[in-house]
Amino acid sequence: LLVGLVYVFHMLIFPDTIPYWRNEGFKFLIPISIPIILCMVSIKNINFFILALKHISYACSILGLLFGLRTLTGRFVLSEYSMGFGYCILLPMLVLFYQRKIYSIIISFLLFMLLVVYGSRGPLLTIAVFLLYILISKKSFGLVGLIVVIGLAGFNVFVSYIDSLGISSRTISMILGGNLDAESNRDVISQKAIDLINANPITGYGLFGDRKPIGDWCHNILLEVFCDFGVILGSILLLLF
């Protein structure tokens, strides 16, 4: 009922968002994202959550490995890279790695290979922060520096080896080309979003309201929330979730 009311509200107040509701809202937001959020906030037993997360990570890993195998064998064609795939296997990969069991680490490494080949570069930053957190939490700061240097060198060797096998991707090309930090027009997109927020900071432009004027999504959750819901309601939603 609430979703229906919100949809009708957008039809009346923000009609430009309706095509994006049909393409994104009814395919991902309503059937997938909202149920996940509701399940997360309803969990009271953290131990149960961790146990469920471990089981789900194995299930997602199987699906991710099957996807990678079908892509490598040419049964599934991926044009360039998949941001969604990279982020989908990111959490299972980190969960399995953190278990520190031989078989879970092996699965985690295989997922990491697929992420480098078929995913976007964003998850790589999350992995780096995750590993640094583990090392710093051990309070072995000298060891942290040593592992960072060895890790960066080993990562470059690993990527070069994948490239030598004839496996190429956008992420691999950016790493080997030394332009992993290239903005890829994100600065232009961010500025457009900021201009939209400044033009209408109170009400925003409605859910998915950034899509049409920007011609893309914001690639920045803070800007997207403020652009869609306005600064006041957007700030409340960010504080709640």
Side-chain angles (χ1 to χ4, degrees):
L1 178 62
L2 178 60
V3 172
L5 291 175
V6 173
Y7 180 70
V8 172
F9 174 80
H10 276 72
M11 288 181 64
L12 298 175
I13 308 300
F14 305 111
D16 289 342
T17 66
I18 296 305
Y20 302 96
W21 267 81
R22 294 169 182 165
N23 292 333
E24 300 180 43
F26 294 125
K27 289 182 180 179
F28 300 104
L29 179 67
I30 295 172
I32 299 176
S33 300
I34 292 179
I36 289 176
I37 293 174
L38 294 177
C39 287
M40 290 286 293
V41 298
S42 65
I43 293 175
K44 304 301 182 182
N45 189 329
I46 188 63
N47 293 323
F48 173 79
F49 170 72
I50 294 175
L51 180 62
L53 189 59
K54 290 179 180 178
H55 291 310
I56 292 172
S57 295
Y58 281 108
C60 292
S61 298
I62 293 173
L63 294 175
L65 293 173
L66 288 175
F67 171 87
L69 180 62
R70 290 178 63 86
T71 306
L72 286 172
T73 56
R75 295 185 179 182
F76 183 86
V77 178
L78 189 64
S79 58
E80 189 175 17
Y81 74 100
S82 173
M83 181 184 297
F85 174 71
Y87 281 108
C88 281
I89 65 173
L90 175 62
L91 181 59
M93 182 188 67
L94 297 180
V95 171
L96 294 179
F97 178 82
Y98 195 71
Q99 291 187 40
R100 301 174 188 176
K101 298 178 181 178
I102 294 178
Y103 60 87
S104 66
I105 291 177
I106 291 174
I107 297 174
S108 179
F109 180 73
L110 292 175
L111 292 176
F112 175 72
M113 290 179 63
L114 292 176
L115 191 151
V116 172
V117 175
Y118 299 118
S120 60
R121 53 186 169 159
L124 297 177
L125 178 60
T126 304
I127 295 171
V129 173
F130 174 77
L131 294 176
L132 282 175
Y133 168 77
I134 292 177
L135 293 171
I136 292 175
S137 64
K138 302 297 182 181
K139 297 181 180 181
S140 302
F141 298 105
L143 182 62
V144 169
L146 178 62
I147 291 179
V148 167
V149 173
I150 295 175
L152 289 174
F155 180 67
N156 286 328
V157 172
F158 167 72
V159 173
S160 298
Y161 175 71
I162 292 180
D163 184 64
S164 68
L165 296 176
I167 301 175
S168 61
S169 71
R170 174 179 177 267
T171 302
I172 291 176
S173 298
M174 295 181 76
I175 294 172
L176 296 178
N179 57 348
L180 191 61
D181 59 343
E183 294 180 345
S184 300
N185 209 39
R186 300 290 174 82
D187 56 334
V188 177
I189 294 174
S190 295
Q191 188 57 53
K192 288 182 179 179
I194 292 172
D195 292 340
L196 287 172
I197 295 169
N198 290 333
N200 189 7
I202 304 301
T203 61
Y205 299 87
L207 194 60
F208 310 117
D210 57 311
R211 304 298 199 264
K212 185 175 180 179
I214 293 178
D216 200 345
W217 56 86
C218 288
H219 294 280
N220 184 310
I221 187 61
L222 296 178
L223 292 179
E224 184 169 348
V225 168
F226 290 144
C227 189
D228 291 357
F229 301 104
V231 175
I232 298 175
L233 180 57
S235 299
I236 294 174
L237 291 173
L238 289 173
L239 289 174
L240 289 176
F241 296 101

